[in-house]
Amino acid sequence: MESFSVKTSRREQMVDITSQVREIVSSKGMGKGMVTVFVPHTTAAVTINEGADPSVQHDLLAGLAELVPHRTPYYQHSEGNSDAHIKASLLGSTVNVLVDGGRLILGTWQAIFFCEFDGPRTRQIHVYVTN
Amino acid sequence: MESFSVKTSRREQMVDITSQVREIVSSKGMGKGMVTVFVPHTTAAVTINEGADPSVQHDLLAGLAELVPHRTPYYQHSEGNSDAHIKASLLGSTVNVLVDGGRLILGTWQAIFFCEFDGPRTRQIHVYVTN
Amino acid sequence: MESFSVKTSRREQMVDITSQVREIVSSKGMGKGMVTVFVPHTTAAVTINEGADPSVQHDLLAGLAELVPHRTPYYQHSEGNSDAHIKASLLGSTVNVLVDGGRLILGTWQAIFFCEFDGPRTRQIHVYVTN
């Protein structure tokens, strides 16, 4: 298991972590297998989506904000970040990416994104390689 | 593969299953690797979220109920549990957790939750360990 | 890693791919382990849900369409498929299914579905087997 950290600068933010994951796979001299990315936080997530056009990140965060309001009369959690907890479960804390010939097998437009929903914070990301 | 069951008492309920998963990892004498938790049901899910403050579970279930109404004019499935099927796919049927030094590598606030969306029922949970 | 393709015929569609995944597991002579299904696209997903009654697929797609509108004033992505990107992250690009005695360990009602959100297109699906 390898870990690295990401520093976010806004409350809600997607950070492309593909190159960090690629570097870990490369440093292991891994030929083929699977890499699992795990986020050990409850107000953040990891997802795979389009990395080419930043407007997709905008629309994903805006769509989630529309779906899950920041404040509602029915939230009971006192920290004011219930929306971030809900978004964390909707997107999930883990993704798997396949590896072949030493390379991440991602589609043309795919990138791996750390998703911050209650920043800015410094966050950890764990990466585990399975042969 | 190991399995255990959970008995739910309400239609919608989150049940902390971290200790059952931890016990299985421990009984395998597993040093490092990955554990996969799988829910073999289509109106239930598994997620990782905050285990410390029960109000987070309340807000997650309330937020999902707001997002996905129990009854709508456009549902066609006759069993009246289409909301539960939708929530099951939104949260997902599987999570991966890393293991190191024989311990589940969860963040400070993270717990593994079985999510019931169409209870009360007795449900199965499968756990698989990968080295 | 094995791959196969799926041809979709509508903008939004769920395609049951359980038999293709089962065939790959079978062709590997795999006794026990885990199979990972990965979708290398950013406007499609993979999920596990009920395979018996097609009205569940209808309700899942209708519920998602209600949750995530096709067009909104705040989407910035110019391709008009931001809803598909959002749904892709909500459902996710990967599922894990356990294998025992050479068989996929799915619940009675579970099937593995490729989810098209921006079709019709020809799509790829990758399958990876871990022992």
Side-chain angles (χ1 to χ4, degrees), chain B residues 9-79:
Chain B
S9 56
R10 294 192 297 276
R11 181 160 197 268
E12 293 162 28
Q13 187 179 354
M14 292 175 68
V15 181
D16 188 335
I17 57 169
T18 314
S19 65
Q20 289 97 316
V21 176
R22 187 173 281 135
E23 217 167 276
I24 289 170
V25 166
S26 181
S27 75
K28 299 276 179 193
M30 187 191 187
K32 60 190 271 181
M34 187 170 88
V35 66
T36 300
V37 182
F38 182 86
V39 168
H41 305 288
T42 58
T43 53
V46 59
T47 197
I48 294 174
N49 216 302
E50 183 180 321
D53 178 355
S55 69
V56 173
Q57 299 165 46
H58 170 275
D59 293 357
L60 186 45
L61 292 175
L64 286 173
E66 191 73 17
L67 269 181
V68 185
H70 188 177
R71 313 217 181 259
T72 73
Y74 57 84
Y75 292 154
Q76 297 182 351
H77 186 51
S78 61
E79 292 177 29

Side-chain angles (χ1 to χ4, degrees), chain B residues 55-127:
Chain B
S55 69
V56 173
Q57 299 165 46
H58 170 275
D59 293 357
L60 186 45
L61 292 175
L64 286 173
E66 191 73 17
L67 269 181
V68 185
H70 188 177
R71 313 217 181 259
T72 73
Y74 57 84
Y75 292 154
Q76 297 182 351
H77 186 51
S78 61
E79 292 177 29
N81 60 358
S82 293
D83 62 324
H85 285 288
I86 297 170
K87 291 172 187 175
S89 277
L90 287 175
L91 263 58
S93 51
T94 186
V95 294
N96 303 139
V97 181
L98 308 184
V99 176
D100 205 4
R103 293 174 48 244
L104 293 178
I105 302 301
L106 288 167
T108 316
W109 306 107
Q110 286 184 318
I112 309 169
F113 287 98
F114 172 77
C115 302
E116 174 66 83
F117 296 124
D118 193 33
R121 301 203 201 192
T122 300
R123 301 289 206 168
Q124 295 298 306
I125 292 153
H126 302 323
V127 178

Side-chain angles (χ1 to χ4, degrees), chain C residues 54-118:
Chain C
S55 69
V56 173
Q57 299 164 47
H58 169 275
D59 293 358
L60 185 45
L61 292 176
L64 286 174
E66 191 74 17
L67 269 181
V68 185
H70 188 176
R71 312 214 181 262
T72 73
Y74 56 84
Y75 291 154
Q76 297 181 352
H77 187 50
S78 60
E79 292 177 29
N81 60 358
S82 293
D83 61 325
H85 285 287
I86 297 169
K87 292 172 186 175
S89 277
L90 288 175
L91 264 58
S93 51
T94 186
V95 295
N96 303 139
V97 181
L98 308 184
V99 176
D100 205 5
R103 293 174 46 246
L104 293 178
I105 302 301
L106 289 167
T108 316
W109 306 107
Q110 285 184 319
I112 309 170
F113 287 98
F114 172 77
C115 303
E116 174 67 81
F117 297 125
D118 193 33

Side-chain angles (χ1 to χ4, degrees), chain C residues 4 7-8 15-16 19-21 36-37 39 41-42 44 50 52 60 68 73-74 82 88 96-97 99 106 111 118 121:
Chain C
F4 61 93
K7 206 171 167 158
T8 58
V15 181
D16 187 335
S19 65
Q20 290 96 316
V21 175
T36 300
V37 181
V39 168
H41 304 288
T42 58
E50 183 180 322
L60 185 45
V68 185
Y74 56 84
S82 293
N96 303 139
V97 181
V99 176
L106 289 167
D118 193 33
R121 300 203 203 192

